[in-house]
Coordinates of all heavy atoms in Angstrom, one line a residue:
N25 N 122.4 67.1 84.3 CA 120.9 66.6 84.5 C 120.7 66.4 85.9 O 119.5 66.3 86.5 CB 120.6 65.3 83.8 CG 120.3 65.7 82.2 OD1 119.9 66.8 81.9 ND2 120.4 64.7 81.5
V26 N 121.7 66.3 86.8 CA 121.5 66.1 88.3 C 122.2 67.2 89.1 O 122.1 67.2 90.3 CB 122.0 64.7 88.7 CG1 121.2 63.7 88.0 CG2 123.5 64.5 88.4
Y27 N 123.0 68.0 88.5 CA 123.8 69.1 89.3 C 124.0 70.3 88.4 O 124.2 70.3 87.2 CB 125.1 68.4 89.5 CG 126.2 69.5 90.1 CD1 126.1 69.7 91.4 CD2 127.2 70.0 89.3 CE1 127.1 70.6 92.0 CE2 128.2 70.8 89.8 CZ 128.1 71.2 91.1 OH 129.1 71.9 91.7
S28 N 123.7 71.5 89.1 CA 123.6 72.7 88.3 C 124.7 73.6 88.5 O 124.8 74.8 88.1 CB 122.3 73.5 88.6 OG 122.3 73.9 90.0
G29 N 125.9 73.1 89.2 CA 127.0 74.0 89.5 C 127.9 74.0 88.3 O 127.7 73.3 87.2
D30 N 129.1 74.7 88.5 CA 130.2 74.8 87.4 C 131.0 73.3 87.5 O 131.1 72.8 88.5 CB 131.1 75.9 87.8 CG 130.4 77.2 87.6 OD1 129.6 77.3 86.7 OD2 130.9 78.2 88.2
L31 N 131.3 73.1 86.2 CA 132.1 71.8 86.1 C 133.5 72.1 85.4 O 133.5 73.0 84.5 CB 131.4 70.8 85.2 CG 130.1 70.2 85.8 CD1 129.3 69.4 84.7 CD2 130.4 69.3 87.0
I32 N 134.5 71.5 85.7 CA 135.8 71.6 85.0 C 136.2 70.2 84.6 O 136.0 69.2 85.2 CB 136.8 72.3 85.9 CG1 137.1 71.5 87.2 CG2 136.5 73.8 86.1 CD1 138.4 72.0 87.9
L33 N 137.0 70.2 83.5 CA 137.5 68.9 83.0 C 139.0 68.8 83.5 O 139.8 69.7 83.3 CB 137.5 68.8 81.4 CG 138.0 67.4 80.8 CD1 137.1 66.4 81.2 CD2 138.1 67.7 79.3
V34 N 139.3 67.7 84.3 CA 140.5 67.5 84.9 C 141.2 66.2 84.2 O 140.5 65.3 84.1 CB 140.4 67.3 86.4 CG1 141.8 67.1 87.0 CG2 139.6 68.5 87.0
G35 N 142.5 66.4 84.0 CA 143.2 65.2 83.4 C 143.3 65.2 82.0 O 142.9 66.2 81.3
G36 N 143.6 64.1 81.4 CA 143.6 63.9 80.0 C 144.0 62.5 79.6 O 144.2 61.7 80.5
G37 N 143.9 62.2 78.3 CA 144.2 60.9 77.9 C 143.2 59.9 78.4 O 141.9 60.1 78.2
N38 N 143.6 58.9 79.0 CA 142.7 57.8 79.5 C 141.9 58.1 80.7 O 140.9 57.4 81.0 CB 143.4 56.5 79.6 CG 143.8 55.9 78.3 OD1 143.3 56.2 77.2 ND2 144.9 55.0 78.3
Y39 N 142.4 59.2 81.4 CA 141.9 59.4 82.7 C 141.5 60.8 82.8 O 142.2 61.7 83.4 CB 142.7 59.0 83.7 CG 143.1 57.5 83.9 CD1 144.2 57.1 83.3 CD2 142.3 56.7 84.5 CE1 144.5 55.7 83.3 CE2 142.4 55.3 84.5 CZ 143.6 54.8 83.9 OH 143.8 53.5 83.9
S40 N 140.2 61.2 82.3 CA 139.7 62.6 82.4 C 138.5 62.5 83.5 O 137.8 61.4 83.4 CB 139.3 63.1 81.1 OG 140.4 63.2 80.3
F41 N 138.3 63.6 84.1 CA 137.1 63.6 85.0 C 136.5 65.0 84.9 O 137.2 65.9 84.8 CB 137.6 63.5 86.5 CG 138.1 62.0 86.8 CD1 139.4 61.7 86.6 CD2 137.2 61.1 87.3 CE1 139.8 60.4 86.9 CE2 137.6 59.8 87.6 CZ 139.0 59.5 87.4
L42 N 135.1 65.0 84.9 CA 134.4 66.2 85.1 C 134.2 66.2 86.6 O 133.7 65.5 87.3 CB 133.1 66.1 84.3 CG 133.1 66.4 82.9 CD1 131.8 66.1 82.3 CD2 133.4 67.9 82.7
K43 N 134.6 67.5 87.2 CA 134.5 67.8 88.6 C 133.7 69.1 88.9 O 133.9 70.0 88.1 CB 135.9 67.7 89.3 CG 136.5 66.4 89.2 CD 137.8 66.4 90.0 CE 138.4 65.0 90.1 NZ 139.1 64.8 91.3
G44 N 133.0 69.0 89.9 CA 132.3 70.3 90.3 C 132.3 70.4 91.9 O 132.5 69.3 92.6
M45 N 132.2 71.6 92.4 CA 132.1 71.8 93.9 C 131.3 72.9 94.1 O 131.3 74.0 93.4 CB 133.6 72.0 94.5 CG 133.8 71.8 95.9 SD 133.3 73.1 96.9 CE 134.6 74.2 96.6
S46 N 130.4 72.8 95.0 CA 129.5 73.8 95.5 C 129.4 73.8 96.9 O 129.4 72.8 97.6 CB 128.1 73.6 94.8 OG 127.2 74.5 95.2
M47 N 128.9 75.0 97.5 CA 128.5 75.1 98.9 C 127.1 75.3 99.0 O 126.6 75.8 100.1 CB 129.5 76.3 99.6 CG 130.9 76.0 99.4 SD 131.5 74.7 100.2 CE 131.8 75.3 101.9
D48 N 126.3 75.3 97.8 CA 124.9 75.7 97.8 C 124.1 74.4 97.5 O 124.2 73.8 96.5 CB 124.8 76.7 96.7 CG 123.4 77.3 96.7 OD1 122.4 76.8 97.4 OD2 123.1 78.2 95.9
L49 N 123.3 74.1 98.4 CA 122.4 73.0 98.3 C 121.5 73.0 97.0 O 121.2 72.0 96.4 CB 121.5 72.8 99.6 CG 120.7 71.5 99.8 CD1 121.6 70.3 99.7 CD2 120.0 71.6 101.0
R50 N 121.2 74.2 96.7 CA 120.5 74.4 95.4 C 121.0 73.9 94.2 O 120.3 73.7 93.1 CB 120.0 75.9 95.3 CG 119.0 76.3 96.3 CD 118.7 77.8 96.3 NE 119.9 78.6 96.5 CZ 120.1 79.8 96.6 NH1 119.0 80.5 96.4 NH2 121.2 80.4 96.9
S51 N 122.4 73.7 94.2 CA 123.1 73.1 93.0 C 122.5 71.6 92.8 O 122.8 71.1 91.7 CB 124.5 73.2 93.2 OG 125.0 72.3 94.2
L52 N 121.8 71.0 93.7 CA 121.2 69.7 93.6 C 119.8 69.8 93.2 O 119.1 68.8 93.2 CB 121.4 69.0 94.9 CG 122.9 68.5 95.2 CD1 123.0 67.8 96.5 CD2 123.6 67.7 94.2
E53 N 119.4 70.9 92.8 CA 118.0 71.1 92.4 C 117.6 70.3 91.3 O 116.5 69.6 91.3 CB 117.7 72.6 92.1 CG 116.2 72.9 91.8 CD 115.2 72.6 92.9 OE1 115.6 72.6 94.1 OE2 114.1 72.5 92.6
P54 N 118.4 70.0 90.2 CA 118.0 69.2 89.1 C 117.8 67.8 89.7 O 116.8 67.1 89.2 CB 119.2 69.2 88.2 CG 119.9 70.5 88.4 CD 119.7 70.8 90.0
L55 N 118.6 67.3 90.5 CA 118.4 65.9 91.2 C 117.1 65.9 91.9 O 116.3 64.9 91.8 CB 119.6 65.5 92.1 CG 119.5 64.1 92.8 CD1 119.5 63.0 91.9 CD2 120.7 64.0 93.7
R56 N 116.8 66.9 92.7 CA 115.5 67.0 93.4 C 114.3 67.0 92.5 O 113.4 66.2 92.8 CB 115.6 68.2 94.3 CG 114.3 68.5 95.1 CD 114.6 69.8 95.8 NE 113.4 70.0 96.8 CZ 112.8 71.1 96.9 NH1 113.0 72.1 96.2 NH2 111.8 71.2 97.8
K57 N 114.4 67.7 91.4 CA 113.3 67.6 90.4 C 113.2 66.4 89.9 O 112.0 65.8 89.6 CB 113.6 68.8 89.4 CG 113.3 70.2 89.9 CD 113.5 71.2 88.7 CE 113.3 72.5 89.3 NZ 113.5 73.6 88.3
L58 N 114.2 65.6 89.5 CA 114.1 64.3 88.8 C 113.4 63.3 89.8 O 112.7 62.4 89.5 CB 115.4 63.7 88.4 CG 116.0 64.5 87.1 CD1 117.3 64.0 86.7 CD2 115.0 64.3 85.9
I59 N 113.9 63.4 91.0 CA 113.3 62.4 92.1 C 111.9 62.7 92.2 O 111.1 61.8 92.3 CB 114.0 62.7 93.5 CG1 115.5 62.1 93.5 CG2 113.3 62.0 94.7 CD1 116.3 62.5 94.6
R60 N 111.4 63.9 92.3 CA 110.0 64.2 92.2 C 109.2 63.8 91.1 O 108.2 63.3 91.1 CB 109.7 65.7 92.5 CG 110.1 66.1 94.0 CD 109.8 67.5 94.1 NE 109.9 67.9 95.5 CZ 109.4 68.8 96.2 NH1 108.9 69.9 95.4 NH2 109.7 69.1 97.5
S61 N 109.8 64.1 89.8 CA 109.0 63.8 88.6 C 108.9 62.3 88.4 O 108.0 61.8 87.9 CB 109.7 64.4 87.5 OG 111.0 63.7 87.1
Q62 N 109.9 61.5 88.9 CA 109.8 60.1 88.9 C 109.0 59.4 90.0 O 108.9 58.2 90.0 CB 111.2 59.5 88.7 CG 111.9 59.7 87.5 CD 113.3 59.1 87.5 OE1 114.2 59.7 87.1 NE2 113.5 57.9 87.8
Q63 N 108.7 60.3 91.0 CA 107.9 59.8 92.1 C 108.5 58.7 92.8 O 108.0 57.8 93.3 CB 106.4 59.5 91.7 CG 105.7 60.6 91.0 CD 104.3 60.2 90.6 OE1 104.0 59.0 90.6 NE2 103.5 61.3 90.3
I64 N 109.7 58.9 93.2 CA 110.6 58.0 93.8 C 111.1 58.5 95.2 O 112.2 58.0 95.8 CB 111.8 57.4 93.0 CG1 112.7 58.5 92.6 CG2 111.4 56.6 91.8 CD1 114.1 58.1 92.0
E65 N 110.5 59.4 95.8 CA 110.8 60.1 97.0 C 111.1 59.0 98.2 O 112.2 59.1 98.8 CB 109.9 61.1 97.5 CG 109.7 62.3 96.7 CD 108.6 62.2 95.6 OE1 108.2 61.1 95.2 OE2 108.1 63.3 95.2
P66 N 110.2 58.0 98.4 CA 110.4 57.1 99.4 C 111.6 56.2 99.2 O 112.5 56.0 100.2 CB 109.2 56.2 99.5 CG 108.1 57.1 99.0 CD 108.8 57.9 97.9
A67 N 111.8 55.7 98.0 CA 113.0 54.9 97.7 C 114.3 55.7 97.8 O 115.3 55.2 98.3 CB 112.9 54.3 96.3
A68 N 114.3 56.9 97.3 CA 115.3 57.8 97.3 C 115.8 58.2 98.8 O 116.9 58.1 99.2 CB 115.1 59.2 96.6
K69 N 114.8 58.4 99.6 CA 115.1 58.7 101.1 C 115.7 57.6 101.7 O 116.8 57.7 102.5 CB 113.8 59.0 101.8 CG 114.0 59.6 103.1 CD 112.7 60.2 103.7 CE 113.1 61.0 105.0 NZ 112.2 61.9 105.5
S70 N 115.2 56.4 101.4 CA 115.8 55.1 102.0 C 117.2 54.9 101.6 O 118.1 54.7 102.4 CB 114.9 53.9 101.6 OG 115.6 52.7 102.0
Y71 N 117.5 55.1 100.3 CA 118.9 55.1 99.7 C 119.8 55.9 100.4 O 120.9 55.6 100.9 CB 118.9 55.2 98.2 CG 120.2 55.3 97.6 CD1 120.9 54.1 97.2 CD2 120.9 56.5 97.3 CE1 122.2 54.1 96.7 CE2 122.1 56.5 96.8 CZ 122.8 55.5 96.4 OH 124.0 55.5 95.9
L72 N 119.4 57.3 100.4 CA 120.2 58.3 101.0 C 120.5 58.2 102.5 O 121.7 58.4 102.9 CB 119.5 59.7 100.7 CG 119.3 60.1 99.3 CD1 118.6 61.3 99.3 CD2 120.7 60.4 98.5
L73 N 119.5 57.6 103.3 CA 119.8 57.6 104.6 C 120.7 56.4 104.8 O 121.5 56.3 105.9 CB 118.5 57.2 105.4 CG 117.5 58.4 105.5 CD1 116.2 58.0 106.1 CD2 118.1 59.4 106.4
R74 N 120.7 55.3 104.0 CA 121.6 54.2 104.2 C 123.1 54.6 103.8 O 123.9 54.0 104.4 CB 121.2 53.0 103.2 CG 120.3 52.0 103.7 CD 120.1 50.9 102.8 NE 119.8 51.6 101.5 CZ 119.9 51.0 100.3 NH1 120.4 49.9 100.1 NH2 119.6 51.7 99.1
R75 N 123.3 55.6 103.0 CA 124.6 56.0 102.5 C 125.2 57.1 103.4 O 126.3 57.6 103.1 CB 124.5 56.5 101.1 CG 123.7 55.6 100.1 CD 124.6 54.5 99.5 NE 125.7 55.1 98.8 CZ 126.7 54.3 98.3 NH1 126.5 53.0 98.4 NH2 127.7 54.8 97.7
M76 N 124.6 57.5 104.4 CA 124.9 58.5 105.3 C 125.8 58.0 106.4 O 125.4 57.0 107.0 CB 123.7 59.3 105.9 CG 123.8 60.7 105.8 SD 122.3 61.6 106.4 CE 121.5 60.5 107.5
S77 N 126.9 58.6 106.8 CA 127.9 58.1 107.8 C 128.8 59.2 108.2 O 129.5 59.7 107.4 CB 128.5 56.9 107.3 OG 129.4 56.5 108.3
N78 N 128.9 59.5 109.5 CA 129.9 60.4 110.0 C 129.9 61.7 109.4 O 131.0 62.2 109.0 CB 131.2 59.8 110.1 CG 131.3 58.5 110.9 OD1 130.5 58.4 111.9 ND2 132.0 57.5 110.5
G79 N 128.8 62.3 109.1 CA 128.8 63.7 108.5 C 129.1 63.6 106.9 O 129.4 64.7 106.3
E80 N 129.1 62.4 106.3 CA 129.3 62.4 104.9 C 128.1 61.5 104.3 O 127.6 60.6 104.9 CB 130.6 61.5 104.6 CG 131.8 62.4 105.1 CD 133.0 61.7 104.9 OE1 133.0 60.7 104.0 OE2 134.1 62.2 105.2
L81 N 127.9 61.9 103.1 CA 126.8 61.2 102.2 C 127.4 61.0 100.8 O 127.8 62.1 100.1 CB 125.6 62.0 102.2 CG 124.4 61.6 101.2 CD1 124.0 60.1 101.5 CD2 123.3 62.5 101.3
T82 N 127.6 59.8 100.3 CA 128.0 59.6 98.9 C 126.9 59.0 98.1 O 126.4 57.9 98.6 CB 129.3 58.7 98.9 OG1 130.3 59.3 99.7 CG2 129.8 58.5 97.6
I83 N 126.5 59.6 97.1 CA 125.5 59.2 96.2 C 126.2 58.7 94.8 O 127.0 59.4 94.3 CB 124.5 60.3 95.8 CG1 124.0 60.8 97.1 CG2 123.4 59.8 94.9 CD1 123.1 62.2 96.9
L84 N 125.8 57.5 94.4 CA 126.3 57.0 93.1 C 125.0 56.9 92.2 O 124.1 56.2 92.5 CB 127.0 55.6 93.3 CG 128.3 55.5 94.2 CD1 128.7 54.1 94.4 CD2 129.3 56.5 93.6
L85 N 125.2 57.5 91.0 CA 124.1 57.4 90.1 C 124.7 56.8 88.8 O 125.8 57.1 88.3 CB 123.7 58.9 89.7 CG 123.2 59.8 90.9 CD1 123.0 61.2 90.5 CD2 121.9 59.2 91.3
H86 N 123.7 56.1 88.2 CA 124.1 55.4 86.8 C 124.1 56.5 85.9 O 123.3 57.3 85.5 CB 123.0 54.5 86.4 CG 123.3 53.5 85.4 ND1 123.3 53.9 84.1 CD2 123.7 52.2 85.5 CE1 123.7 52.8 83.3 NE2 123.9 51.9 84.2
K87 N 125.4 56.7 85.2 CA 125.6 57.7 84.2 C 124.7 57.7 83.1 O 124.3 58.8 82.6 CB 127.1 57.7 83.8 CG 127.6 58.9 83.1 CD 129.0 58.8 82.5 CE 130.0 58.3 83.3 NZ 131.2 58.1 82.5
Q88 N 124.6 56.5 82.4 CA 123.7 56.5 81.3 C 122.2 56.9 81.6 O 121.6 57.6 80.7 CB 123.8 55.1 80.6 CG 125.2 55.0 80.0 CD 125.6 53.4 80.0 OE1 125.7 52.9 81.1 NE2 126.0 53.0 78.8
A89 N 121.7 56.5 82.7 CA 120.4 56.8 83.1 C 120.3 58.4 83.2 O 119.3 58.9 82.8 CB 120.0 56.1 84.4
A90 N 121.3 58.9 83.9 CA 121.3 60.4 84.2 C 121.3 61.1 82.8 O 120.7 62.1 82.7 CB 122.4 60.8 85.0
F91 N 122.1 60.6 81.8 CA 122.0 61.2 80.4 C 120.5 61.3 79.9 O 120.2 62.3 79.3 CB 122.9 60.5 79.5 CG 123.0 61.0 78.1 CD1 123.7 62.2 77.8 CD2 122.3 60.4 77.2 CE1 123.8 62.7 76.5 CE2 122.2 61.0 75.8 CZ 123.0 62.0 75.6
A92 N 119.8 60.3 80.2 CA 118.4 60.2 79.8 C 117.5 60.8 80.7 O 116.3 60.7 80.6 CB 118.0 58.7 79.5
S93 N 118.0 61.7 81.7 CA 117.2 62.4 82.6 C 116.4 61.4 83.6 O 115.2 61.7 83.9 CB 116.2 63.4 82.0 OG 117.0 64.5 81.3
K94 N 117.0 60.3 83.8 CA 116.4 59.4 84.8 C 117.3 59.1 85.9 O 118.5 59.3 85.8 CB 116.1 58.0 84.1 CG 115.3 58.0 83.0 CD 113.9 58.2 83.2 CE 112.9 58.1 82.0 NZ 111.7 58.9 82.1
I95 N 116.8 58.9 87.0 CA 117.5 58.6 88.3 C 117.7 57.1 88.5 O 116.6 56.4 88.6 CB 116.9 59.3 89.5 CG1 117.0 60.8 89.4 CG2 117.7 58.8 90.8 CD1 118.4 61.3 89.2
S96 N 118.9 56.5 88.6 CA 119.1 55.2 89.0 C 120.3 55.2 90.0 O 121.3 55.4 89.6 CB 119.5 54.4 87.8 OG 119.8 53.0 88.1
F97 N 119.8 55.0 91.3 CA 120.8 54.9 92.3 C 121.5 53.7 92.3 O 120.8 52.6 92.0 CB 120.2 55.1 93.7 CG 119.5 56.5 93.9 CD1 118.1 56.6 93.9 CD2 120.3 57.4 94.2 CE1 117.5 57.9 94.1 CE2 119.8 58.8 94.5 CZ 118.3 59.0 94.4
I98 N 122.8 53.5 92.5 CA 123.5 52.3 92.5 C 124.3 52.3 93.8 O 124.7 53.3 94.4 CB 124.4 52.1 91.4 CG1 125.4 53.4 91.1 CG2 123.5 52.0 90.0 CD1 126.4 53.1 89.9
D99 N 124.7 51.0 94.2 CA 125.5 50.9 95.4 C 126.9 50.6 95.2 O 127.8 50.8 96.0 CB 125.0 49.6 96.2 CG 123.5 49.9 96.8 OD1 123.3 51.1 97.3 OD2 122.6 49.1 96.7
D100 N 127.2 50.2 94.0 CA 128.6 49.9 93.5 C 129.0 50.5 92.2 O 128.1 50.4 91.3 CB 128.9 48.4 93.6 CG 130.3 47.9 93.5 OD1 131.0 48.3 92.4 OD2 130.8 47.3 94.4
A101 N 130.1 51.1 92.0 CA 130.5 51.6 90.8 C 130.4 50.7 89.6 O 130.2 51.1 88.6 CB 131.9 52.3 90.9
K102 N 130.6 49.4 89.9 CA 130.6 48.4 88.8 C 129.2 48.3 88.2 O 129.0 47.7 87.2 CB 131.0 47.0 89.4 CG 132.5 47.0 89.9 CD 132.8 45.6 90.5 CE 134.3 45.7 91.0 NZ 134.6 44.8 92.1

Side-chain angles (χ1 to χ4, degrees):
N25 281 341
V26 297
Y27 170 77
S28 66
D30 292 330
L31 294 171
I32 59 168
L33 185 64
V34 179
N38 290 338
Y39 297 97
S40 297
F41 291 87
L42 278 170
K43 293 188 176 212
M45 202 270 292
S46 174
M47 304 298 268
D48 186 353
L49 191 53
R50 290 174 294 184
S51 65
L52 294 176
E53 183 65 19
L55 176 61
R56 179 180 189 226
K57 285 181 178 176
L58 287 176
I59 289 170
R60 286 181 171 199
S61 71
Q62 289 180 231
Q63 299 178 346
I64 58 169
E65 294 95 328
K69 187 169 194 166
S70 174
Y71 172 87
L72 296 172
L73 290 173
R74 269 186 309 155
R75 308 276 305 175
M76 227 171 28
S77 176
N78 299 324
E80 296 185 5
L81 169 60
T82 300
I83 304 168
L84 298 177
L85 299 170
H86 194 283
K87 192 191 310 176
Q88 290 149 303
F91 179 79
S93 296
K94 302 287 183 203
I95 295 300
S96 179
F97 293 107
I98 58 177
D99 291 315
D100 189 301
K102 294 175 186 157

